[in-house]
């Protein structure tokens, strides 16, 4: 697989400061497909300096011109979508059709939305005798995970550029090739040198150096709660802005009046997509006791249909971790009705689509983020019981509610402590704010709310 052996800093690929590299592994066959440089604090420092030097010029660039560059970036992402999909498939293991549709497709929508927002956003407004300007926060340190490798980059970089911020990106170790492709796309789009910079490297080395760097004004992080907590603490100590998009344990609440077959079918599909490696996946399916057995049978059937159509998990560590959770579910008394901990293939980090019945709300598999193709069916007695279970985790990222009519589902959704709820199978909206209540994070991504994260206000009084 094509890989750059340097960092993209100040508009060019430059040699890394150190000699260490990171091996990129294809999770389908466990073969090394490329090596990328493992950045050090020195690389991060060079990138932050470039971003800081480019800041005044980019911040002063007219929003219409910033919009034009983001639109050009979207066009490059469209032109190179096949290459992007093939790269995500090679390093993440996602089946090619899913990579084409979601991993390559969604970033085009998001980049397009920010090209429009940059052009139309009110960066200046009159409030009584004041004029309020929305100004860029400054240099952004973006730290991204591997599960939606391009989407998570675009969901940070596009609004940052729209706002007039400059960026240093530290992508996940497992998916650096997609990030390198993105850097090429930024270059092709004619974004000025230094406005976007890429440093590949290990989280505790390059990632930490970026989060701690004095020259970074805002750290935007997506990943695990453990690392997010550290980054939040570091940013807090430095009185630096921070946005955290962390884990989830979302509930799929099926009210008694719902179309059960549809709710269960869509619910299982939601978890199996991307092999369960989706922070907003509805991993807990809540079903009324009167329809529970029927739901269990439908879920087992739906999971079986996925068979070996889902891709592997991203790496050996996640493979071991997810299988460990399945073993724990069995040990704590949940009933396996599909899949299990046994690896379905000799090679590759595959886990079978797994469904647990008789899961109780306090079990580990009902509380902790598994990040694999595992659905837990939990029984409830009445609506208050369902609400208590739905809200009964430390997370609050997403969820779903199904009912005979939308109004009934909305009434329930309004009582949920969570940032996004799909009503009766509502579609993805790239303009809707995405982010968590409680320990699922701080801040919002996407749409105008996502843009606002990269802006600060200045009021002039007359
Ligand atoms: P992680 O939090 O370790 O990695 C996410 C990003 O943070 C990567 O770019 C990594 O290099 C970087 N990082 C790691 N340590 C760092 C540090 N000390 N300072 C700065 N940056 C650092 O996540 P992971 O180990 O890849 O996955 C573990 C678990 O996290 C998963 O099982 C899942 O539960 C959760 N996760 C959540 C999301 C999400 O979208 N919210 C994404 C990936 C993983």
């Amino acid at each position: 697989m094509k890989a750059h052996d340097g960092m993209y800093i100040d508009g060019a690929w430059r040699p890394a400061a150190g000699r260490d590299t990171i091996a990129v592994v294809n999770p389908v066959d466990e073969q090394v497909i490329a090596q990328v440089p493992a950045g050090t604090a020195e690389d991060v420092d060079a990138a932050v300096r470039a971003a800081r030097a480019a800041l005044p010029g980019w911040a002063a660039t007219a929003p219409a011109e910033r919009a034009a560059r983001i639109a050009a970036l979207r066009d490059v992402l469209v032109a190179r979508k096949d290459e992007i999909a093939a790269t995500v498939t090679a390093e993440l293991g996602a089946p090619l059709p899913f990579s084409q549709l979601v991993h390559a497709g969604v970033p085009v929508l998001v980049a397009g939305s920010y090209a429009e927002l940059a052009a139309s956003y009110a960066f200046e407004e009159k409030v009584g005798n004041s004029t309020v300007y929305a100004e860029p926060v400054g240099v952004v340190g973006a730290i991204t995970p591997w599960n939606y490798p391009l989407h998570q980059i675009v969901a940070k970089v596009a609004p940052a550029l729209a706002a007039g911020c400059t960026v240093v990106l530290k992508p996940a170790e497992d998916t650096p090739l997609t990030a390198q492709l993105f850097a090429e796309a930024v270059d092709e789009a004619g974004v000025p040198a230094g406005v976007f910079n890429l440093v590949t490297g290990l989280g505790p080395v390059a990632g930490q150096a970026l989060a701690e760097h004095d020259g970074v004004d805002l750290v935007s992080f997506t990943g695990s709660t453990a690392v997010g907590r550290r980054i939040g603490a570091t940013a807090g100590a430095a009185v630096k802005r921070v946005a955290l998009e962390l884990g989830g344990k979302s509930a799929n609440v099926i009210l008694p009046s719902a179309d059960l077959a549809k709710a269960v079918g869509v619910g299982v599909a939601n978890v199996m997509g991307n092999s369960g490696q989706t922070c907003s996946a509805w991993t807990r399916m809540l079903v009324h006791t009167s329809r529970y057995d029927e739901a269990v049978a439908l879920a087992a059937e739906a999971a079986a249909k996925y068979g070996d159509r889902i891709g592997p998990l991203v790496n050996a560590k996640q493979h071991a971790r997810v299988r460990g959770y399945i073993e724990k579910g069995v040990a704590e008394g949940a009933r396996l009705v599909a899949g299990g901990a046994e690896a379905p293939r000799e090679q590759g980090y595959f886990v079978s689509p797994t469904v647990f019945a008789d899961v109780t709300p306090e079990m580990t598999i009902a509380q902790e983020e598994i990040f694999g193709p595992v659905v837990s069916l939990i029984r409830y007695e009445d609506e208050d019981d369902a609400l208590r279970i739905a809200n009964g985790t430390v997370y609050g990222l997403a969820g779903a509610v199904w009912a005979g009519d939308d109004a009934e589902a909305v009434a329930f959704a309004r009582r949920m402590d969570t940032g996004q709820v799909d009503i009766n199978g509502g579609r993805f909206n790239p303009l809707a704010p995405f982010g968590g209540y409680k320990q699922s994070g701080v801040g919002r991504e996407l749409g105008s709310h996502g843009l606002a994260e990269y802006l600060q206000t200045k009021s002039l009084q007359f």
Side-chain angles (χ1 to χ4, degrees), residues 144 146 170 173 203 207-208 221 223-224 246 279 318 321 369:
T144 54
W146 41 264
K170 206 303 283 174
E173 292 85 331
Q208 195 161 325
F221 169 82
S224 64
L246 309 176
C279 48
Q318 289 299 108
R321 187 183 138 103
E369 186 172 52

Side-chain angles (χ1 to χ4, degrees), residues 55-286:
L55 181 63
W58 185 245
T61 300
E65 170 56 17
R66 299 201 298 255
R69 297 280 64 83
I70 300 167
L73 172 61
R74 176 207 52 211
D75 294 345
V76 179
L77 297 179
V78 171
R80 300 183 67 175
K81 65 182 187 333
D82 291 340
E83 198 185 344
I84 290 167
T87 303
V88 175
T89 288
E91 59 184 358
L92 180 67
L96 192 59
F98 190 81
S99 290
Q100 286 164 332
L101 190 72
V102 177
H103 290 299
V106 173
V108 169
L109 294 178
V110 174
S113 73
Y114 280 112
E116 281 173 28
L117 267 167
S120 62
Y121 195 79
F123 288 98
E124 188 182 323
E125 74 174 321
K126 292 257 185 276
V127 180
N129 62 314
S130 302
T131 301
V132 180
Y133 295 91
E135 299 188 340
V137 167
V139 174
V140 175
I143 301 175
T144 54
W146 41 264
N147 55 332
Y148 288 88
L150 186 59
H151 169 65
Q152 279 142 338
I153 290 172
V154 172
K156 296 187 191 308
V157 176
L161 299 191
C165 292
T166 58
V167 181
V168 176
L169 168 68
K170 206 303 283 174
E173 292 85 331
D174 292 294
T175 53
L177 303 178
T178 305
Q180 290 190 339
L181 264 187
F182 177 77
E184 287 182 9
V186 170
D187 197 85
E188 254 180 270
V191 173
V195 170
F196 170 81
N197 308 273
L198 169 70
V199 176
T200 52
L202 299 175
V205 182
Q208 195 161 325
L210 182 58
E212 289 174 350
H213 202 292
D214 285 345
V216 169
D217 301 297
L218 161 68
V219 183
S220 179
F221 169 82
T222 300
S224 64
T225 306
V227 175
R229 194 174 273 128
R230 279 182 70 153
I231 288 178
T234 304
V239 198
K240 195 180 275 190
R241 299 252 304 240
V242 67
L244 304 172
E245 204 271 90
L246 309 176
K249 192 72 196 173
S250 298
N252 179 15
V253 183
I254 305 176
L255 295 175
S257 59
D259 176 341
L260 188 70
K262 188 172 174 199
V264 172
V266 174
V268 170
N270 170 280
V271 178
M272 298 308 157
N274 214 35
S275 307
Q277 302 169 120
T278 304
C279 48
S280 56
W282 315 326
T283 51
R284 297 179 299 147
M285 191 181 288
L286 275 54

Side-chain angles (χ1 to χ4, degrees), residues 173-406:
E173 292 85 331
D174 292 294
T175 53
L177 303 178
T178 305
Q180 290 190 339
L181 264 187
F182 177 77
E184 287 182 9
V186 170
D187 197 85
E188 254 180 270
V191 173
V195 170
F196 170 81
N197 308 273
L198 169 70
V199 176
T200 52
L202 299 175
V205 182
Q208 195 161 325
L210 182 58
E212 289 174 350
H213 202 292
D214 285 345
V216 169
D217 301 297
L218 161 68
V219 183
S220 179
F221 169 82
T222 300
S224 64
T225 306
V227 175
R229 194 174 273 128
R230 279 182 70 153
I231 288 178
T234 304
V239 198
K240 195 180 275 190
R241 299 252 304 240
V242 67
L244 304 172
E245 204 271 90
L246 309 176
K249 192 72 196 173
S250 298
N252 179 15
V253 183
I254 305 176
L255 295 175
S257 59
D259 176 341
L260 188 70
K262 188 172 174 199
V264 172
V266 174
V268 170
N270 170 280
V271 178
M272 298 308 157
N274 214 35
S275 307
Q277 302 169 120
T278 304
C279 48
S280 56
W282 315 326
T283 51
R284 297 179 299 147
M285 191 181 288
L286 275 54
V287 186
H288 188 259
T289 189
S290 64
R291 307 189 76 185
Y292 188 79
D293 292 339
E294 200 188 332
V296 169
L298 286 166
E301 200 183 308
K305 269 199 229 139
Y306 279 87
D308 55 8
R309 274 197 293 141
I310 62 170
L313 301 183
V314 69
N315 59 33
K317 188 174 148 208
Q318 289 299 108
H319 194 224
R321 187 183 138 103
V322 170
R323 292 167 69 202
Y325 272 116
I326 297 174
E327 282 164 5
K328 190 140 201 181
V330 173
E332 290 185 3
R335 177 166 55 100
L336 262 180
V337 294
E342 207 173 306
R345 299 191 201 178
E346 274 181 21
Q347 209 180 28
Y349 309 123
F350 291 89
V351 170
S352 298
T354 295
V355 178
F356 274 113
D358 300 343
V359 177
T360 55
E362 69 285 352
M363 284 182 186
T364 307
I365 56 168
Q367 288 292 326
E368 295 183 13
E369 186 172 52
I370 298 176
F371 236 58
V374 183
V375 189
S376 294
L377 272 79
I378 306 177
R379 186 192 292 272
Y380 67 82
E381 300 297 329
D382 56 32
E383 272 198 25
D384 284 344
D385 192 30
L387 188 72
R388 187 181 53 77
I389 298 168
N391 288 340
T393 76
V394 295
Y395 294 114
L397 189 55
V401 184
W402 301 81
D405 63 67
D406 283 357

